[in-house]
Amino acid sequence: MNTVSDGNMQRLADSPNSLRALLIEDSENDTLLLVDYLEKAGFNLLWQRVETEQALIQALQQPWDIVFSDYTMPRFNGAQALTIVKQHDADIPFIFISGTIGEDIAVEGMKAGAQDYVMKGNLSRLVPAVRRELAEAQARRERRQAEQTLRKLSRVIEQTADSVYITDPEGIIQYVNPAFERLTGYTAAEAVGNTPALIKASWRDDKRMWETILSGQTFHETLVNRHKDGSQFYEEKIIAPLFDENQQITHFVSTGRDVTDRVQIEEARTRLLAILEATTDFVAIMHDDGHLRYLNKAGRRMVGLAETDDVDHWHLADSHPEWAVQQLLFEAFPVARRDGVWEGETAVLSANGHEIPVSQVVLSHHGAEGEAKFFSTIARDMTERKRFELELQRQATHDALTGLPNRVLLQDHLNSELGRAGRRNLLAAVLVLDIDNFKRINDSLGHVVGDQLLCSVAERLRACQRPNDTVARYGGDEFTIVMGECASMENILLAVHQLSATFETPIAVGGQDVYIGFSVGIAVYPHDGNDSDTLLKNADAAMYRAKGRGRNQSQFYTPDMNVRGQELLALETGLRRALSRNEFELYYQPQMAIASGRLVGFEALLRWNHPDKGIVSPIDFIPLLEETGMIVPVGEWVLRSACTHYRQCREAGQMPFRVSVNVSSRQFGDQSLVEMVRQILVEEKMPPEHLEIEITETTAMQDVQVAGEIFAALDALGVRLAIDDFGTGYSSLAYLKRFPLDVLKIDKAFVQDIEHDSNVQAIAEASITLGHKLGLEVVAEGVETLEQLQFLRRHDCDMIQGYYLSRPMPRQDMAQFIAAHEASPIVGLSRKGNV
């Protein structure tokens, strides 16, 4: 057996016209003859002879181009050798070379897989047969390899996730893979024979696609296509032409991948980026060390960066103040890393270095392993909000008109002051100030001037307050001063005196000078209370006591003041039930004509007969009626009761006298007043000229136009109209002249001192003259002495009313009084009877 080393075999195999031949032959001489013949034929031969089955199997472990085999051998058989070789490699050419093989055996061998047979005695066919079989073997191998590759490619196409379809040159679909069916919803049967228009949602790229692929190039674009149900999807499409050996296009192969999610994510990212760039908020992306990766336009404007400036080298310290940097690095980032988000208030540095307050949110963004890869932040400018919050806080704690602290801030400052005074064993004082006669000033000069006056008062109070004092507007025309750090009562008294001195000079408002006085109530910590509520309540009670003593008075709190306050509270509670319980009564005070001494009428006066306290002074309950608004229903009761009493007197045969009824300011402003008077006159069958409606001078001048309309409507009913308390208000004579009045009543304040005070005498005389000039009857109220009566008679006053004539009397006493007066009237200057 001839063998060749592996190295020689490799060298020979690489040489031109080489042939690796395995010879199955028991005769060495026949083998050498065959080798010699092939070498002479030009083959560079590498060969090996085997003569047993075992040697054959071992030799087949090496590559061979061809196998030559004898058919009959002592220890082996050619048919067995053929079987073993074909089982090892069916493509290796196998040629029988034998001197004994017959035609039948040769045919059987050919059927079993042998390629040819050659007789040993005639080798002329051998070389052509070898060359033919080597070529065919190579073709078989290439064909099998191509088939295998085709099967692999077919499996790849069938199993790939990408959509694949193949069309002819005209674009008719000839094949679609399963991925196409899954992607589009069309089956292969529905697609084959159609064109790709089946799935097209847009023809926008069609022309460019055909130009590309017909030119032999590959078309690669993302297209918008549609599913069978009509819904659209994005497909990354590659279409390539296939060529034949003449470079003619035979087919087009289209592969597609559904990129809808990617496109939508990209579109969302683009929209998000557009939003981030359009938003007015500071938006940034940062590394965990604080260096910026991205900053939007608003952020760049905020910190003074141009749009072209690179932010990669920027750090939080370049865009935030130091305290905010520390807050973000050591608080916001750790919290966001742990919880995903951090929210808080920080600041951003503007281009000029000013701090811009911002509301900032920091978000952490994690990688696949859960670690924080970077942070994003959104910061919103809160400058306006902070300004608005400060303004809201100021509005909540300060009076809108004067700018002084209001009750809320006063309470806070007072509590703080009490805590400080308690710790330092000092006194603290609460002063409640009420402007004297502010209502008269406000009504006379108007609300605008009244507001100006309040602002001027506030300025003066600010000017005289000590550094640690608090001046507040408590409401309306009330102010409150909290004095702290008072070592003794002398400090408080000194402050009160200084307060009075501050307002000794007039305040110029509304084109005139106005003198201001205060009623001041004072409560001192800890003597008059240990908490703010108690001190304020007690100072308020002291203020009302000071107001009761007259104008421009101050009063320290005493415990009995609360007793009086409780009494008034109890009165108010009882007052709300008095009307329904018929506790109100009318008393009547007569009016006399001075010239004749005869009675001309009675003024109806309201009294409250309390079930426990008896007759309550009008001074105590009339203001309460005004404050609570009950004066309107009670006033209606007074008017109706007075007219009812008139009717009853007339029905009893008594001489009917004129009845005067006071109408409060609230009643006068009620639109239903005129209709109410008209209805009562009708129901009680009362002659309207016997009813006299009294309106105070101040009420008439509150709104001159409205007052004139109401006076005109009442005058049209025929009732008499009187101006009460004349001289206490600020009447304009021009307006007074325009009102359809009948009576002018001089206030008792200008009658009581008429005997001794020349100024009072002058006012009374002028009032009588004025009334007569205006064509009015003049009534003097509060006449108590003969001297007063004589003065009024000398100056031609028409009527008097007062204690000199009679105190107010209950209705049941009127008949006796009238009878007595008719029997003995007051004539001339002497009183002839005392009833």
Side-chain angles (χ1 to χ4, degrees):
M1 179 175 64
N2 184 23
T3 59
V4 180
S5 68
D6 292 341
N8 289 333
M9 180 177 280
Q10 181 63 45
R11 185 173 60 256
L12 288 172
D14 293 338
S15 62
N17 209 23
S18 64
L19 179 66
R20 292 173 296 188
L22 178 63
L23 284 72
I24 305 171
E25 177 63 64
D26 61 338
S27 171
E28 185 173 357
N29 290 331
D30 287 348
T31 300
L32 293 174
L33 288 172
L34 179 61
V35 168
D36 182 62
Y37 185 84
L38 292 172
E39 288 179 344
K40 287 179 179 179
F43 289 105
N44 189 2
L45 194 65
L46 180 145
W47 60 274
Q48 181 179 346
R49 183 181 69 86
V50 297
E51 56 181 314
T52 66
E53 180 178 352
Q54 185 64 37
L56 174 60
I57 292 172
Q58 185 175 359
L60 287 175
Q61 304 304 311
Q62 298 182 33
W64 302 103
D65 296 325
I66 196 167
V67 176
F68 299 105
S69 176
D70 194 2
Y71 189 79
T72 303
M73 293 171 283
R75 293 183 293 176
F76 201 22
N77 183 281
Q80 293 175 326
L82 175 61
T83 301
I84 292 172
V85 170
K86 291 301 179 180
Q87 288 177 348
H88 174 74
D89 186 354
D91 289 330
I92 297 178
F94 191 99
I95 298 176
F96 283 116
I97 300 179
S98 174
T100 62
I101 188 171
E103 186 175 344
D104 293 338
I105 295 174
V107 171
E108 291 297 326
M110 299 286 284
K111 291 180 179 180
Q115 272 67 44
D116 206 344
Y117 70 93
V118 177
M119 302 302 290
K120 287 184 178 179
N122 184 14
L123 298 177
S124 60
R125 290 179 54 249
L126 179 61
V127 172
V130 168
R131 295 191 185 280
R132 183 188 70 242
E133 293 305 326
L134 287 175
E136 291 184 359
Q138 179 65 27
R140 285 195 301 273
R141 289 190 183 96
E142 290 176 354
R143 188 164 53 249
R144 180 174 287 109
Q145 184 177 7
E147 290 173 353
Q148 291 175 350
T149 301
L150 183 60
R151 283 195 295 271
K152 290 179 182 178
L153 289 174
S154 179
R155 285 196 298 271
V156 168
I157 292 174
E158 291 291 314
Q159 297 176 11
T160 183
D162 290 345
S163 165
V164 178
Y165 65 82
I166 301 174
T167 74
D168 63 14
E170 284 71 38
I172 304 300
I173 297 175
Q174 296 180 334
Y175 166 82
V176 298
N177 72 339
F180 174 92
E181 296 177 310
R182 292 192 298 270
L183 174 62
T184 66
Y186 289 100
T187 65
E190 292 171 320
V192 172
N194 271 303
T195 68
L198 187 73
I199 62 170
K200 286 185 179 179
S202 171
W203 297 88
R204 177 174 52 87
D205 301 304
D206 206 41
K207 180 180 179 182
R208 185 161 47 85
M209 177 195 71
W210 280 107
E211 289 176 350
T212 301
I213 61 178
L214 288 175
S215 67
Q217 301 178 38
T218 299
F219 176 80
H220 188 177
E221 292 286 348
T222 297
L223 305 178
V224 181
N225 286 333
R226 64 183 177 190
H227 299 287
K228 183 178 180 181
D229 62 9
S231 59
Q232 292 186 350
F233 66 95
Y234 291 91
E235 186 177 12
E236 185 179 5
K237 179 68 70 176
I238 299 176
I239 304 176
L242 296 181
F243 302 94
D244 61 12
E245 62 275 8
N246 298 320
Q247 293 301 305
Q248 298 296 313
I249 296 175
T250 61
H251 295 85
F252 294 109
V253 177
S254 169
T255 60
R257 178 171 299 174
D258 187 354
V259 292
T260 303
D261 291 342
R262 188 186 75 190
V263 170
Q264 290 177 345
I265 291 172
E266 184 63 27
E267 288 178 347
R269 179 180 176 276
T270 302
R271 287 194 300 269
L272 178 60
L273 183 61
I275 292 171
L276 294 181
E277 289 299 309
T279 183
T280 57
D281 294 337
F282 176 105
V283 180
I285 298 175
M286 304 165 290
H287 296 285
D288 57 4
D289 62 357
H291 280 90
L292 273 64
R293 293 172 53 178
Y294 165 79
L295 185 62
N296 71 338
K297 290 181 180 179
R300 291 171 180 269
R301 286 194 300 268
M302 198 176 291
V303 301
L305 270 177
E307 292 186 15
T308 56
D309 288 343
D310 186 10
V311 298
D312 287 346
H313 65 283
W314 267 65
H315 188 270
L316 285 173
D318 299 313
S319 57
H320 290 69
E322 178 61 29
W323 64 269
V325 174
Q326 299 300 315
Q327 183 182 21
L328 291 171
L329 291 178
F330 300 109
E331 177 188 338
F333 284 9
V335 171
R337 188 179 288 112
R338 183 190 68 215
D339 301 335
V341 63
W342 174 89
E343 298 180 56
E345 293 186 3
T346 61
V348 172
L349 286 175
S350 67
N352 55 13
H354 292 161
E355 290 188 10
I356 302 172
V358 294
S359 172
Q360 193 155 3
V361 177
V362 176
L363 302 171
S364 64
H365 302 271
H366 297 81
E369 298 180 359
E371 77 283 3
K373 301 291 288 184
F374 60 91
F375 296 92
S376 63
T377 183
I378 301 173
R380 175 162 294 178
D381 188 346
M382 295 195 305
T383 303
E384 288 301 318
R385 196 182 92 182
K386 286 291 186 183
R387 186 180 297 118
F388 183 64
E389 286 176 353
L390 288 174
E391 181 59 27
L392 284 180
Q393 183 179 8
R394 176 171 179 79
Q395 290 178 8
T397 57
H398 287 75
D399 174 56
L401 177 64
T402 63
L404 292 176
N406 61 10
R407 293 189 181 198
V408 175
L409 190 56
L410 170 71
Q411 195 92 8
D412 182 65
H413 284 191
L414 179 54
N415 287 330
S416 299
E417 198 55 56
L418 293 181
R420 186 159 44 247
R423 290 190 299 270
R424 300 176 62 181
N425 197 28
L426 295 171
L427 300 177
V430 176
L431 283 68
V432 175
L433 299 78
D434 185 86
I435 300 176
D436 294 329
N437 294 325
F438 177 74
K439 186 175 185 304
R440 185 184 68 191
I441 298 170
N442 203 38
D443 292 343
S444 302
L445 302 179
H447 294 292
V448 173
V449 174
D451 288 347
Q452 294 174 357
L453 179 63
L454 290 173
C455 292
S456 298
V457 168
E459 287 299 321
R460 288 204 183 182
L461 290 176
R462 280 196 194 97
C464 69
Q465 76 179 94
R466 302 178 310 161
N468 291 329
D469 292 349
T470 298
V471 177
R473 185 184 179 197
Y474 205 63
D477 61 338
E478 279 192 19
F479 295 85
T480 303
I481 300 176
V482 174
M483 296 179 57
E485 299 186 2
C486 299
S488 64
M489 292 295 292
E490 284 72 17
N491 297 129
I492 301 171
L493 289 171
L494 181 61
V496 172
H497 291 315
Q498 183 180 354
L499 185 65
S500 298
T502 301
F503 289 92
E504 286 180 354
T505 56
I507 297 176
V509 288
Q512 63 184 79
D513 291 340
V514 177
Y515 284 89
I516 294 298
F518 287 98
S519 296
V520 183
I522 309 162
V524 180
Y525 167 87
H527 310 308
D528 302 327
N530 292 315
D531 60 85
S532 59
D533 289 340
T534 301
L535 288 167
L536 286 167
K537 180 187 70 175
N538 292 341
D540 198 53
M543 183 274 291
Y544 276 106
R545 176 65 61 85
K547 184 179 286 290
R549 290 171 50 197
R551 301 178 183 179
N552 207 23
Q553 298 290 322
S554 59
Q555 174 70 56
F556 281 88
Y557 170 77
T558 57
D560 68 297
M561 294 176 182
N562 278 335
V563 175
R564 175 59 176 163
Q566 293 171 2
E567 289 177 356
L568 291 175
L569 183 60
L571 280 177
E572 181 180 345
T573 302
L575 193 60
R576 293 184 180 275
R577 299 190 291 261
L579 187 60
S580 61
R581 294 181 178 182
N582 298 318
E583 294 175 2
F584 289 120
E585 298 179 3
L586 285 185
Y587 275 49
Y588 292 89
Q589 189 172 33
Q591 297 173 337
M592 183 191 76
I594 296 178
S596 64
R598 297 291 182 181
L599 292 177
V600 292
F602 289 86
E603 180 178 0
L605 301 170
L606 180 63
R607 296 293 184 266
W608 179 17
N609 191 358
H610 193 280
D612 298 323
K613 302 178 181 297
I615 296 299
V616 180
S617 170
I619 296 176
D620 288 336
F621 77 86
I622 293 295
L624 291 177
L625 285 177
E626 292 278 2
E627 291 175 10
T628 60
M630 291 178 60
I631 193 67
V632 174
V634 172
E636 181 179 357
W637 178 88
V638 170
L639 180 61
R640 183 175 293 278
S641 297
C643 293
T644 299
H645 294 164
Y646 174 91
R647 176 177 53 79
Q648 292 171 348
C649 289
R650 189 185 67 227
E651 292 174 351
Q654 298 174 358
M655 181 182 298
F657 292 96
R658 186 171 64 236
V659 178
S660 296
V661 178
N662 287 286
V663 173
S664 71
S665 59
R666 285 207 179 192
Q667 279 181 286
F668 192 68
D670 194 322
Q671 295 180 351
S672 63
L673 173 65
V674 176
E675 178 58 26
M676 179 187 70
V677 173
R678 186 196 64 77
Q679 185 175 353
I680 291 175
L681 288 174
V682 172
E683 292 174 356
E684 299 300 332
K685 298 181 176 59
M686 183 174 184
E689 66 272 11
H690 283 192
L691 175 63
E692 185 172 281
I693 301 295
E694 294 187 8
I695 307 296
T696 64
E697 179 186 10
T698 301
T699 299
M701 299 308 296
Q702 283 181 349
D703 190 326
V704 175
Q705 182 176 352
V706 173
E709 293 172 356
I710 296 175
F711 278 137
L714 291 172
D715 182 61
L717 293 178
V719 300
R720 289 167 55 86
L721 300 174
I723 286 291
D724 195 13
D725 297 339
F726 183 76
T728 60
Y730 292 88
S731 295
S732 167
L733 297 183
Y735 284 117
L736 198 62
K737 181 179 179 180
R738 290 169 52 184
F739 294 154
L741 302 174
D742 300 289
V743 179
L744 186 148
K745 300 185 73 174
I746 301 174
D747 188 73
K748 63 181 179 180
F750 303 111
V751 175
Q752 290 176 347
D753 292 333
I754 208 167
E755 309 101 307
H756 315 295
D757 192 327
S758 59
N759 291 328
V760 171
Q761 292 174 4
I763 292 173
E765 182 180 355
S767 298
I768 295 170
T769 302
L770 175 62
H772 289 160
K773 291 288 187 182
L774 294 175
L776 306 178
E777 293 182 351
V778 180
V779 179
E781 296 182 295
V783 177
E784 299 180 359
T785 66
L786 178 61
E787 289 77 7
Q788 294 170 354
L789 175 60
Q790 291 172 338
F791 177 87
L792 293 169
R793 180 179 177 84
R794 286 197 304 271
H795 291 86
D796 297 326
C797 183
D798 300 302
M799 289 172 280
I800 64 167
Q801 178 181 337
Y803 288 177
Y804 181 76
L805 183 60
S806 173
R807 290 177 177 273
M809 65 189 75
R811 182 170 65 94
Q812 56 268 26
D813 294 344
M814 289 175 63
Q816 182 183 357
F817 176 81
I818 293 172
H821 187 82
E822 290 297 325
S824 179
I826 299 177
V827 181
L829 300 180
S830 63
R831 185 179 178 102
K832 296 186 177 180
N834 184 11
V835 180

